[in-house]
């Protein structure tokens, strides 16, 4: 979700600002930053580019050309030109084909998409809105046949529904929702599991594949792990505290080594309204997460989203949900052992000893980086033996020290301040209020942690920190080195002994984002990065089978960077480190999600989220964009079709590995 989405809803769009703001005085290490920079930060020439890039000499450019000619980059493709228009663009020699659009049929009985006559029943049988995470689970080990799993993060009513927008003094106003609209929105949330197959080099959706499934904000789910059955998750509808309906705001996610689909619940605060009963125990807990914010109007028609009627319902959201895709009727499980916060994603990797490690970001300004290590070991020979691995393990929160080390602090009941004295009576309390537990342990306040991906090839871990314009000069620290960090940065972690389950390691800043030609920005792309190659606001990422990093962005815009969001290939090794190249870009108003390189590296899946959401600040449109007056009608470009968030399959013309 970016700052331009849902223009009419000023609070949720503010880059996860405010509502859940971290109140602690955890160390910002401002006084140590100078030491770190003098000792480590400028060791590599590529990291020092910001100060000289504006006046780079012809000789330096020639040298950069020679370096490129020597093929030092791990990527080989002709870069896309950065810019802004109504379409999508991919590197020359590649095809970027629309695979699945909002409203596309998934089942034999799915109604065809009819945007003027939407119903909740039709939406629940069609591809949902605002595709975000994209994962692939091979069938029979194939890279050309499998299940695509896709999160549907949220809905943009002004782009989805006809006849509900008024423009008043240049601003969009949306009519209040009726129950039918709310129910369509709920059915457009959640996720999709759909069989896909590559035939003649092109991907096809297998309509009515026997494992196809829609998950929505109403799907029955189970709470499992330490919080299941706890008093704080019991509601009017569920006195057992074990049965939940639906999942919401599923941002990024993951596919586990045992082939299940995990969905991260992120900005849950916007779905709740009403006031907690006087003296409620949950007041501080909800405040820390910004609950309620009443962005959506679901609580008007469904009591469980109204805190005055069901004060515990919000404790049943903000988890990581696991879906067993092998059975389309399986009950998804909210895995409470992984903590409750604004979960960005849940990428995983098997550690040396067979335990499984999940990297988790909490996407809010000044919130934390986490990882979860299972107690049990992955059994590659028995899928069923792995199905409850996520109910038992240790959740850690990260402390990044100024000397370049990282410590993973266990969020375990009884550890240090995590005791009854501070309101933590059990591990369930620690997990329900994960953020507050992290506050007390002294975790490092980060610049909005988004995707975190481990790299199986080089043993490193990449952390996307998208931006934080609220960080003040006296709050900079080694791991968040820029005040008013408008463009974000990427941190690289090397766990001790290359062991992903380690409780310590080292870290360094891989890349500070933004335009390297503006010295004040302090960006650190290599000098080999072209004017198209730099970007701001890293968000999602993918590490391919060769260990190469691909980064997608959320928030590049006409006003901020003079370019749309897109997918950039970022070198991490050798002399090319911190070199970036633009591979794909999205239409005006869209955010780039996914991305996912398939195991054979012959397909890159990307998700185009909220296309057409914005256009006021683009000279090609210059006014608010909404259903009847859209800044683009991507991808159909038909007068009677609204914009449709879509998943795109990118392949090389004639076949072969991408970017090689
Ligand atoms: Fe849904 Fe943090 O992006
Ligand atoms: Ca995003
Ligand atoms: Ca994201």
């Amino acid at each position: 979700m970016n700052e331009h989405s849902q223009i009419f809803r000023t609070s949720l769009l503010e880059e996860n600002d405010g509502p859940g703001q971290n109140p602690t005085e955890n160390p910002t290490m401002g006084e140590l930053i100078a030491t770190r920079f003098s000792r480590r930060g400028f060791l590599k020439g590529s990291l020092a580019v910001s100060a000289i890039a504006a006046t780079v000499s012809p000789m330096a450019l020639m040298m950069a050309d020679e370096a490129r000619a020597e093929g030092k980059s791990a990527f080989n493709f002709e870069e896309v030109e950065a810019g802004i228009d109504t379409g999508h663009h991919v590197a020359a020699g590649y095809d970027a084909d629309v695979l699945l659009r909002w409203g596309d049929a998934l089942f034999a009985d799915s109604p065809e998409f009819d945007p003027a006559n939407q119903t909740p029943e039709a939406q629940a049988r069609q591809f949902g809105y605002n595709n975000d995470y994209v994962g692939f689970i091979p069938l029979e080990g194939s890279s050309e046949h499998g299940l695509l799993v896709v999160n549907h993060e949220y809905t943009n009513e002004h782009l989805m529904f006809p006849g509900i927008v008024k423009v008043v003094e240049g601003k969009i106003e949306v009519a209040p929702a009726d129950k039918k609209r709310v129910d369509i929105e709920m059915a457009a949330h959640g996720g999709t599991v759909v069989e896909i197959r590559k035939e003649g080099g092109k991907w096809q959706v297998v309509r009515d594949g026997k494992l196809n499934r829609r998950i929505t904000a109403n799907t029955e789910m189970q709470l499992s792990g330490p919080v299941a059955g706890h008093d704080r998750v019991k509601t009017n509808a569920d006195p057992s505290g074990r049965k939940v309906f639906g999942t919401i705001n599923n941002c990024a996610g993951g596919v586990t080594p045992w082939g299940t689909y995990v969905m991260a619940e992120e900005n849950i605060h916007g779905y709740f309204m009403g006031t907690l009963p006087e003296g409620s125990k949950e007041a501080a807990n909800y405040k820390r997460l910004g609950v309620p914010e009443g962005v959506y109007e679901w609580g008007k028609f469904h009591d469980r989203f109204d805190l005055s009627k069901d004060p515990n319902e919000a404790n049943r959201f903000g988890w990581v949900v696991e879906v067993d895709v092998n059975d389309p009727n399986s009950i998804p499980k909210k895995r409470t052992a992984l903590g409750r916060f604004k979960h960005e994603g849940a990428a995983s990797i098997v550690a040396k000893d067979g335990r499984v490690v999940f990297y988790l970001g909490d996407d809010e300004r000044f919130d934390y980086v986490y990882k979860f290590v299972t107690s049990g070991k992955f059994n590659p020979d028995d899928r069923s033996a792995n199905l409850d691995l996520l109910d038992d393990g240790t959740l850690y929160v990260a402390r990044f020290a100024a000397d370049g080390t990282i410590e993973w602090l266990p969020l375990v009941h009884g550890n240090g301040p995590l005791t009854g004295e501070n309101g933590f009576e059990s591990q369930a309390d620690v997990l329900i209020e994960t953020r507050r537990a992290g506050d007390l342990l002294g975790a490092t306040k980060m610049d909005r942690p988004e995707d975190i991906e481990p790299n199986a090839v080089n043993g490193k871990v990449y952390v996307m920190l998208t931006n934080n314009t609220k960080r003040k000069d006296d709050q900079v620290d080694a791991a968040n080195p820029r005040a008013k960090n408008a463009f974000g940065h990427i941190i690289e972690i090397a766990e001790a002994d290359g062991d992903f389950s380690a409780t310590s390691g080292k870290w360094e800043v891989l890349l500070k984002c933004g335009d390297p030609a503006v010295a004040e920005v302090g960006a650190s792309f290599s000098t080999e990065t072209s004017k198209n190659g730099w970007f701001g606001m890293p968000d999602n990422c993918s590490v391919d089978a060769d260990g190469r990093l691909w980064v997608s962005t959320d928030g590049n815009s006409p006003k901020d960077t003079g370019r749309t969001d897109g997918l950039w290939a970022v070198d991490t090794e050798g002399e090319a480190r911190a070199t970036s190249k633009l591979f794909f870009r999205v239409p005006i108003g869209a955010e780039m999600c996914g991305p996912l390189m398939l195991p054979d590296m012959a397909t890159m899946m990307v998700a185009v989220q909220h296309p057409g959401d914005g256009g006021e600040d683009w000279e090609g449109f210059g006014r608010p964009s909404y259903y009847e007056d859209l800044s683009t009608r991507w991808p159909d470009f038909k007068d009677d079709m609204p914009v449709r968030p879509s998943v795109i399959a990118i392949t090389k013309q004639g076949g072969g590995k991408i970017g090689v």
Side-chain angles (χ1 to χ4, degrees):
M1 189 176 294
N2 77 5
E3 65 177 314
H4 304 294
S5 51
Q6 298 178 299
I7 300 165
F8 51 95
R9 289 173 168 153
T10 51
S11 39
L12 189 62
L13 62 83
E14 283 185 284
E15 304 176 319
N16 289 358
D17 183 22
Q21 218 165 62
N22 189 329
T24 69
E25 298 297 326
N26 285 354
T28 58
M29 297 176 283
E31 72 281 7
L32 295 168
I33 183 177
T35 324
R36 175 152 170 82
F37 270 106
S38 57
R39 217 165 47 75
R40 293 175 57 99
F42 289 114
L43 281 181
K44 293 193 179 71
S46 63
L47 292 175
V49 65
S50 58
I52 58 162
T55 55
V56 68
S57 70
M59 179 60 80
L61 287 173
M62 270 171 58
M63 286 165 67
D65 278 339
E66 278 169 23
R68 271 195 290 267
E70 284 170 33
K72 283 175 182 156
S73 170
F75 298 96
N76 181 23
F77 61 84
E78 198 181 312
E79 189 169 41
V80 173
E81 196 168 333
I84 302 159
D85 58 35
T86 59
H88 67 266
H89 300 267
V90 69
Y94 290 83
D95 288 328
D97 301 317
V98 175
L99 178 65
L100 272 162
R101 300 163 297 184
W102 166 46
D104 276 347
L106 300 170
F107 307 94
D109 67 355
S110 300
E112 292 306 315
F113 183 56
D114 181 357
N117 297 291
Q118 298 175 52
T119 67
E121 295 76 23
Q123 178 64 83
R125 306 296 284 167
Q126 297 165 336
F127 194 62
Y129 207 77
N130 271 346
N131 30 223
D132 196 309
Y133 174 73
V134 178
F136 180 78
I137 302 173
L139 291 171
E140 289 124 27
S142 171
S143 264
E144 302 201 333
H145 181 208
L147 298 176
L148 197 72
V149 297
V150 183
N151 284 352
H152 301 296
E153 188 181 23
Y154 68 105
T155 48
N156 297 93
E157 287 61 31
H158 63 300
L159 304 175
M160 278 180 83
F161 298 106
I164 64 167
V165 168
K166 248 190 346 193
V167 178
V168 180
E169 291 172 2
K171 295 252 188 287
I172 281 175
E173 279 184 10
V174 176
D178 57 18
K179 182 166 187 301
K180 182 177 174 190
R181 195 178 102 195
V182 161
D183 289 346
I184 295 167
E185 293 168 19
M186 291 177 76
H189 277 68
T192 289
V193 179
V194 61
E195 187 178 337
I196 57 170
R197 188 190 289 278
K198 202 172 176 190
E199 280 166 8
K202 293 287 177 191
W203 284 95
Q204 316 286 341
V205 169
V206 181
R207 184 165 170 174
D208 212 32
K210 66 181 193 306
L211 300 178
N212 289 7
R213 177 172 194 179
R214 267 308 314 285
I215 291 161
T216 73
N218 289 306
T219 302
E220 182 181 336
M221 309 206 163
Q222 189 185 324
L223 274 173
S224 74
V227 174
H230 193 278
D231 282 349
R232 296 176 74 180
V233 290
K234 290 177 180 166
T235 63
N236 295 331
D238 173 32
S240 76
R242 294 176 186 275
K243 185 168 151 182
V244 185
F245 286 97
T247 182
I248 49 177
N249 214 273
N250 304 94
C251 189
V255 166
T256 64
W258 50 96
T260 58
Y261 162 32
V262 283
M263 315 166 73
E265 296 183 327
E266 191 192 24
N267 289 304
I268 62 155
H269 56 290
Y271 298 85
F272 294 91
M273 61 200 310
T275 312
L276 277 174
E278 192 70 28
S280 168
K281 188 186 169 184
E282 304 304 340
N285 161 28
Y286 285 5
K287 185 162 184 234
R288 184 71 176 80
L289 277 166
V291 173
E293 203 180 11
V295 172
Y296 290 92
E297 297 166 82
W298 299 4
K300 285 186 186 170
F301 308 101
H302 299 278
D303 287 353
R304 64 193 177 108
F305 295 107
D306 182 339
L307 300 183
S308 69
K309 295 174 179 154
D310 232 334
N312 285 345
E313 183 74 358
N315 276 338
R316 292 140 62 88
F317 293 86
W319 303 105
V320 169
V321 182
E322 184 177 17
V323 183
D324 182 356
V325 296
N326 280 16
D327 172 6
N329 298 309
S330 67
I331 295 180
K333 292 182 176 171
K334 297 203 174 188
R335 300 293 189 182
T336 63
L338 280 68
R340 175 171 170 270
F341 44 89
K342 292 183 182 174
H343 276 285
E344 172 70 26
S348 58
I349 192 158
V350 180
K352 284 177 177 172
D353 69 357
R355 291 182 297 159
V356 189
V357 183
F358 285 74
Y359 286 94
L360 311 165
D362 181 357
D363 181 5
E364 184 131 8
R365 289 169 173 152
F366 302 107
D367 264 292
Y368 306 136
V369 165
Y370 298 85
K371 78 173 174 186
F372 176 79
V373 183
T374 60
S375 297
K377 294 181 179 179
F378 170 57
N379 182 342
D381 303 318
D382 180 3
R383 182 174 185 273
S384 64
N386 303 307
L387 286 181
D388 286 318
L389 275 180
L390 288 182
D391 278 345
D392 191 9
T394 306
L395 181 64
Y396 299 89
V397 66
R399 185 156 62 202
F400 293 84
D403 65 358
T405 58
I406 180 174
E407 200 183 342
W408 294 100
L409 311 166
L411 290 155
V412 174
H413 181 247
N415 173 29
L418 307 184
T419 60
E421 249 171 52
N422 289 310
F424 298 107
E425 301 295 343
S426 66
Q427 184 63 14
D429 287 330
V430 171
L431 294 168
I432 289 169
E433 296 187 72
T434 304
R435 281 184 170 182
R436 194 165 68 83
D439 296 344
L440 291 174
L441 290 184
T444 303
K445 298 163 151 184
M446 309 300 288
D447 286 346
R448 293 188 56 199
E450 300 259 16
D451 266 13
I452 306 174
E453 290 276 339
N455 184 338
V457 176
N458 68 5
K460 306 272 178 64
V461 182
Y462 303 102
V463 184
M464 307 295 119
L465 297 152
T466 194
N467 62 66
N468 180 359
T469 50
K470 294 284 168 76
R471 188 175 290 274
K472 300 197 177 88
D473 288 327
D474 63 355
Q475 293 177 308
V476 295
D477 60 41
N480 301 277
R482 287 188 289 184
K484 298 187 194 68
N485 181 7
F487 303 104
H489 58 289
I490 300 174
I491 283 179
E492 181 184 69
I493 298 171
E495 302 276 29
D497 303 320
D499 176 2
F500 292 106
S501 70
T503 54
S504 65
K506 293 191 168 153
W507 66 272
E508 60 182 294
V509 174
L510 168 66
L511 187 58
K512 286 180 279 172
C513 306
D515 185 351
V518 182
E520 302 77 53
V521 167
S524 63
F525 290 93
S526 84
T527 48
E528 291 169 46
T529 303
S530 80
K531 68 180 176 26
N532 305 306
W534 65 268
F535 58 84
M537 307 90 170
D539 184 345
N540 301 120
C541 64
S542 176
V543 174
D544 67 26
D546 281 358
R548 302 180 304 171
L549 179 64
W550 300 80
V551 174
S552 68
T553 62
D554 169 17
N556 290 270
S557 69
K559 172 168 61 81
D560 294 326
T561 57
R563 56 196 58 202
T564 61
D565 283 320
L567 178 65
W568 277 266
V570 180
D571 276 295
T572 59
E573 306 302 315
E575 286 182 36
R577 185 170 161 91
T579 303
S580 171
K581 283 169 73 174
L582 180 55
F583 182 66
F584 177 90
R585 69 171 158 95
V586 298
I588 177 71
E591 163 181 352
M592 181 88 280
C593 297
L596 177 79
M597 185 75 94
L598 265 47
D600 65 359
M601 290 184 33
T603 303
M604 173 71 83
M605 295 284 182
V606 291
V608 176
Q609 197 188 57
H610 60 75
D613 187 16
E616 304 90 319
D617 55 355
W618 175 43
E619 59 190 14
F621 194 66
R623 57 191 186 275
S625 174
Y626 60 98
Y627 191 98
E628 283 82 7
D629 186 21
L630 288 159
S631 54
T632 176
R633 288 194 183 268
W634 188 91
D636 300 325
F637 294 103
K638 289 184 182 153
D639 289 345
D640 59 350
M641 272 293 163
V643 274
R644 301 171 77 180
S646 301
V647 173
I648 304 278
I650 302 174
T651 51
K652 201 184 226 173
Q653 288 163 2
K657 286 187 173 183
I658 289 177
V660 173

